[in-house]
Every structure is written in structure tokens, then in C-alpha cells.
């Protein structure tokens, strides 16, 4: 089927991702990618359920019952946790808040979808390694190999700074100061910058 022009849904998704999230809201690239992944999954689910081509989808296929079916699919077929389900629902809510402000004729639909509640999740206890346990991990690494030296450097840096995995992944050589005082610049959630001193051992 040939589509002469983008559907209203396609237009809204394009402006939501290309203009609203990065420009108006100033969202981080990681958040935008997370929202994008949600919509990839949702559009594939809707297309498969209705046996349609994804390019034909419009707001008509996005009523709340379908969104609830999608959330159930995430938990049952994909094995996602309630917390992951809630992250996906947050991305859907964000889009429909945008729709409510920019597509008046879809306001009633947006209100119904934004009213879909998050699922309650239990809180998990946070376990920490004590100093002796961390030392045991570090001393178990074979530092005579290239991979061992890499692992030792990464784990020592994470222990030293308390950095999240994503913060370590985002590190670049220019973020390190390797003359005294030793330090590293870390870019955390919300693009917050902090400087952490590095131990000589690190």
C-alpha cells in the first residue's frame, strides 16, 4: 500500500523525537534512545496484532486497551519486570502528554492513555561489598594479562569513584587528569558533571 503523506501519528512521532525531546525538553541521548526503543516495540506489537504494515498505523490503533495489551505482552511474552514495564509506560505517557498539547482532536485519547497507572513494584534491598570483599575481588584478577590489567583498572576506578557503569562507558581520555592532583570528570544522570579525585593506586 502506498501512503501519500505521513499519518498524524507519524508526524507526531517525528516532531516528538526530532524536536520536542532534544530541543524543548533537553532530554539526554540515552533517554531519547530508551523512548525510541519503547516505540519500536509498541509499533511492531500493534502491526503484528492488527496484521498491518507499520507505516499504516495511526491513532486509531492506539486506544488504551491496546496499550494495556502491549504492557501485558512485555511482562508475559518478553519476560520484562514490572519496573521495565513502568519505564515503557513512562515513554508512552510522555508522548501522549505531547500529543495532548499539540493535537487537540486527540486530547480525549491522550487523557485516557495517560491515565493508565504504573504497576507497583517491590523495593529490593541494596547489597554492598565491604572493603575486604572488594580487595578480594581486586586481588583475584590476573594482572599479568592485558585483559586482567584492563579489568583491574576498570574495577578500581569504579570502586574509587562510585561511578555508574554508564558513566564509565562514557569516559574519554580528555576526562582524565593524570598529573597531580589525579582526577577524573564523570558525567552522570541528568548530564551532571562531577570531578572525583583518583587514588595513586588507581
Amino acid at each position: 500500500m502506498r501512503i501519500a503523506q505521513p499519518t498524524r501519528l507519524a508526524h507526531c512521532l517525528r516532531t516528538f523525537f526530532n524536536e520536542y525531546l532534544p530541543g524543548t525538553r533537553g532530554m539526554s541521548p540515552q533517554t531519547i534512545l530508551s523512548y525510541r526503543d519503547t516505540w519500536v516495540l509498541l509499533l511492531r506489537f500493534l502491526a503484528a496484532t492488527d496484521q498491518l504494515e507499520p507505516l499504516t498505523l495511526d491513532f486509531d490503533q492506539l486506544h488504551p486497551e491496546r496499550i494495556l495489551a502491549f504492557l501485558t505482552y512485555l511482562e508475559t511474552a518478553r519476560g520484562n519486570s514490572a519496573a521495565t514495564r513502568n519505564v515503557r509506560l513512562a515513554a508512552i505517557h510522555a508522548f501522549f502528554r505531547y500529543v495532548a498539547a499539540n493535537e487537540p482532536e486527540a486530547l480525549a485519547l491522550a487523557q485516557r492513555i495517560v491515565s493508565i497507572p504504573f504497576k507497583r513494584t517491590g523495593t529490593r534491598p541494596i547489597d554492598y561489598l565491604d572493603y575486604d570483599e572488594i580487595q578480594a575481588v581486586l586481588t583475584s584478577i590476573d594482572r599479568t594479562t592485558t585483559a586482567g590489567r584492563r579489568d583491574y583498572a576498570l574495577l578500581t576506578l569504579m570502586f574509587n569513584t562510585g561511578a555508574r557503569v554508564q558513566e564509565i562507558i562514557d569516559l574519554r581520555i580528555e576526562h582524565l587528569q593524570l598529573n597531580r592532583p589525579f582526577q577524573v570528570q564523570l558525567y552522570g544522570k541528568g548530564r551532571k558533571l562531577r570531578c572525583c579525585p583518583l587514588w595513586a593506586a588507581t
Side-chain angles (χ1 to χ4, degrees), residues 122-190:
T123 55
R124 294 182 300 172
I126 300 174
D127 295 323
Y128 297 95
L129 295 176
D130 62 31
Y131 181 81
D132 291 337
E133 291 170 326
I134 291 170
Q135 286 300 110
V137 170
L138 293 176
T139 55
S140 70
I141 298 171
D142 180 6
R143 293 165 64 188
T144 63
T145 67
T146 303
R149 288 191 294 275
R150 177 206 61 203
D151 294 345
Y152 183 85
L154 285 171
L155 290 173
T156 304
L157 179 61
M158 294 178 79
F159 175 45
N160 182 163
T161 62
R164 297 165 56 248
V165 171
Q166 188 62 53
E167 292 172 334
I168 297 295
I169 292 171
D170 292 339
L171 271 182
R172 300 293 178 264
I173 191 68
E174 60 266 23
H175 300 153
L176 290 165
Q177 180 173 307
L178 298 179
N179 52 355
R180 293 185 184 276
F182 307 124
Q183 61 185 14
V184 61
Q185 291 181 340
L186 296 171
Y187 292 86
K189 294 182 81 170

Side-chain angles (χ1 to χ4, degrees), residues 16-64:
F16 178 69
F17 282 105
N18 291 349
E19 300 169 16
Y20 178 72
L21 290 181
T24 306
R25 291 294 307 278
M27 294 248 179
S28 71
Q30 289 83 4
T31 300
I32 294 172
L33 287 175
S34 174
Y35 282 19
R36 182 209 62 186
D37 292 346
T38 295
W39 277 92
V40 167
L41 290 170
L42 176 57
L43 294 174
R44 286 177 181 168
F45 172 80
L46 293 172
T49 301
D50 292 343
Q51 296 183 335
L52 297 170
E53 289 290 327
L55 57 84
T56 65
L57 294 173
D58 207 340
F59 285 111
D60 295 340
Q61 285 80 35
L62 281 167
H63 49 79

